[in-house]
Amino acid sequence: MRKVFLVIVFILLLVSASFSLTAIAENGKTVILNPNGTWKYDTTSLWRVVRSYTGSSSKNTDPFTISGSSWRIKVTSKASMFSISLYNASTGRIEDVVISMNSSGTDETYIYKKGTFYLSLNAIGSYEIVVEEMTK
């Protein structure tokens, strides 16, 4: 019985040692962390995280630059009212109201323009936002 237990523990250790973890680097790229301490960028991902925001009140975000032609905003909201307006950071002019929600839930929108932008977030309740740029 003890030998069977030791064999099972040994197999579990081998299996767990073969798994890799992933993380998001400061530049928004996905990194694969190997069990031996090495790492590499994930070249299979189509999206890189540009910014992520959480909160429960209305605010403007910091400016961020999009260099590719396709990007998206993904939202998870527990707010009773939530909207995102996209502003051109250079001119301060509104580009569009890109998301408007009247109840909690998830949503995403795709945007097809380059530039430096910031978001105006209007909320009554909590939210999580991820801005991602297409890499390929």
Side-chain angles (χ1 to χ4, degrees):
M1 182 71 166
R2 186 169 185 215
K3 288 182 182 180
V4 172
F5 177 74
L6 290 174
V7 170
I8 291 172
V9 169
F10 181 71
I11 291 171
L12 288 174
L13 286 172
L14 286 176
V15 170
S16 67
S18 66
F19 288 119
S20 298
L21 299 174
T22 60
I24 305 296
E26 288 181 2
N27 61 7
K29 294 182 179 180
T30 302
V31 176
I32 299 171
L33 307 169
N34 298 311
N36 65 1
T38 62
W39 63 273
K40 66 179 180 178
Y41 286 117
D42 179 7
T43 57
T44 63
S45 178
L46 291 177
W47 298 94
R48 80 171 182 88
V49 175
V50 176
R51 292 285 194 281
S52 61
Y53 305 100
T54 59
S56 59
S57 62
S58 299
K59 65 181 176 182
N60 291 338
T61 68
D62 60 322
F64 55 88
T65 300
I66 301 294
S67 56
S69 58
S70 298
W71 55 290
R72 67 185 177 190
I73 302 171
K74 297 169 56 173
V75 175
T76 301
S77 171
K78 294 181 182 172
S80 58
M81 187 284 302
F82 183 74
S83 69
I84 300 175
S85 299
L86 177 67
Y87 282 82
N88 182 310
S90 301
T91 65
R93 300 183 107 174
I94 189 168
E95 297 274 330
D96 199 1
V97 176
V98 292
I99 289 181
S100 182
M101 301 169 66
N102 292 321
S103 62
S104 63
T106 61
D107 199 359
E108 66 183 60
T109 188
Y110 291 78
I111 302 165
Y112 304 98
K113 53 177 95 171
K114 299 177 184 182
T116 301
F117 305 98
Y118 69 90
L119 305 175
S120 178
L121 311 173
N122 294 302
I124 301 173
S126 62
Y127 54 84
E128 296 176 10
I129 300 168
V130 177
V131 178
E132 297 176 314
E133 181 175 22
M134 186 173 273
T135 60
K136 296 179 183 182

